[in-house]
């Protein structure tokens, strides 16, 4: 079974803090994704990585950065958290053009 | 870029009835169309997918149809059960990128 895990299920941070969300997959997938999920807005792509140290901006990259130093790990960084970044964050991975396997999600609240 | 519209946003049916969710996409280069189901508090999981060289695919009570000319695809669930209640997302994919619809909340009333 493919397993995608995320470092936290729930996170509460203060405005201006630097926030790290980590994602790990165990299936040697080359592609990894970070999405943001808000009610009524579906899944919006923040960043994508297709290989170690490679990244591409998604549809809503502003205010976020990413890091992929190892194939199995993809980190999302909020340099200075703001209240409008309160959301559910989902990580996913896949290989080539195939189904994406999602992590359990991190519900981030910025106060 | 790709734009995916999904309708309806909410759908309520009686147990045993059929449910249909429709999606349209804008980029004719899209070639992979997955459907994901997300139960409350859980992660999205693939339930069925279809590639652009196929018009229809069925897996027990669920089926997906694709009309490439009209650029739309649909999810059909027959004999609905309460455990089918969830949010369903369609997606259209080009190469590595999937663009998701906004989701349909399906409620199956017992």
């Amino acid at each position: 079974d493919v397993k995608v895990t995320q470092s936290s299920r729930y996170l509460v941070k203060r405005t201006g803090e630097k926030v790290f969300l980590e994602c790990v997959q165990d299936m040697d997938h080359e592609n990894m994704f970070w999405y943001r999920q808000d009610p009524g807005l579906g899944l919006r792509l923040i960043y994508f990585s297709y290989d170690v140290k490679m990244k591409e901006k998604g549809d809503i990259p502003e205010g976020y950065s990413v890091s992929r130093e190892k194939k199995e790990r993809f980190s999302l960084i909020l340099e200075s958290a703001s209240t409008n970044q309160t959301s559910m964050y989902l990580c996913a991975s896949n290989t080539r053009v195939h189904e994406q396997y999602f992590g359990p999600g991190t519900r981030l609240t910025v106060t | 870029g790709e734009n995916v519209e999904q309708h309806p946003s909410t759908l309520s049916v009686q147990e045993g009835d059929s449910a249909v969710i429709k999606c349209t996409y804008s980029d004719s280069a899209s070639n992979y169309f997955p459907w994901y189901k997300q139960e409350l508090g859980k992660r999205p999981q693939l339930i069925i997918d279809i590639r652009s060289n196929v018009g229809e695919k069925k897996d027990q009570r669920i089926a997906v149809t694709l009309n490439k000319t009209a650029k739309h695809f649909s999810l059909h669930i027959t004999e609905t059960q309460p455990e089918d209640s969830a949010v369903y997302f369609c997606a259209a994919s080009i190469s590595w990128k999937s663009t998701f619809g906004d989701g349909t909340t399906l409620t199956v009333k017992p």
Side-chain angles (χ1 to χ4, degrees):
Chain A
D1 262 359
V2 175
K3 199 168 182 182
V4 181
T5 57
Q6 295 183 225
S7 50
S8 305
R9 291 300 304 272
Y10 300 94
L11 210 53
V12 180
K13 295 291 182 181
R14 293 198 180 276
T15 301
E17 278 193 84
K18 192 168 186 175
V19 182
F20 293 88
L21 304 182
E22 286 209 315
C23 174
V24 178
Q25 51 94 3
D26 67 355
M27 283 301 292
D28 202 36
H29 285 167
E30 61 269 21
N31 302 328
M32 296 189 74
F33 309 83
W34 275 107
Y35 292 93
R36 173 175 170 159
Q37 183 176 21
D38 299 290
L41 297 179
L43 299 167
R44 293 182 291 166
L45 181 65
I46 305 172
Y47 266 98
F48 156 75
S49 170
Y50 55 90
D51 201 351
V52 175
K53 296 191 188 295
M54 307 305 290
K55 62 185 179 185
E56 295 276 350
K57 290 181 180 179
D59 299 318
I60 52 165
E62 297 78 20
Y64 304 94
S65 62
V66 290
S67 172
R68 193 166 180 199
E69 297 295 320
K70 293 185 177 181
K71 191 174 185 180
E72 68 271 17
R73 191 179 298 267
F74 191 34
S75 300
L76 180 70
I77 303 154
L78 286 66
E79 296 289 342
S80 178
S82 63
T83 54
N84 62 12
Q85 293 178 309
T86 291
S87 187
M88 171 68 81
Y89 291 88
L90 286 165
C91 174
S93 72
N94 76 352
T95 181
R96 295 190 290 277
V97 184
H98 286 292
E99 72 172 287
Q100 293 187 19
Y101 293 87
F102 287 87
T106 296
R107 184 165 294 283
L108 173 67
T109 301
V110 182
T111 61
Chain B
E2 174 67 279
N3 182 50
V4 176
E5 293 192 359
Q6 182 172 345
H7 298 280
S9 57
T10 60
L11 180 59
S12 181
V13 300
Q14 286 295 135
E15 183 177 358
D17 286 351
S18 294
V20 180
I21 302 170
K22 298 181 179 182
C23 290
T24 61
Y25 61 99
S26 60
D27 194 330
S28 56
S30 289
N31 58 3
Y32 175 64
F33 306 90
W35 285 89
Y36 294 87
K37 175 184 180 182
Q38 185 177 29
E39 296 177 10
L40 192 62
K42 296 191 175 181
R43 69 190 79 191
Q45 290 192 296
L46 182 81
I47 54 170
I48 196 166
D49 56 10
I50 192 167
R51 296 192 184 269
S52 57
N53 58 349
V54 175
E56 185 172 355
K57 185 176 179 181
K58 192 173 181 181
D59 182 4
Q60 298 183 330
R61 296 187 298 108
I62 60 173
V64 57
T65 58
L66 171 65
N67 183 327
K68 283 174 56 181
T69 304
K71 294 206 279 287
H72 66 70
F73 56 113
S74 301
L75 177 72
H76 304 253
I77 306 174
T78 58
E79 300 171 24
T80 53
Q81 301 167 4
E83 51 265 38
D84 294 328
S85 295
V87 179
Y88 292 80
F89 293 99
C90 64
S93 306
I94 305 172
S95 183
W96 55 264
K97 185 175 181 181
S98 288
T99 302
F100 288 82
D102 289 344
T104 296
T105 301
L106 173 64
T107 303
V108 180
K109 298 177 182 176

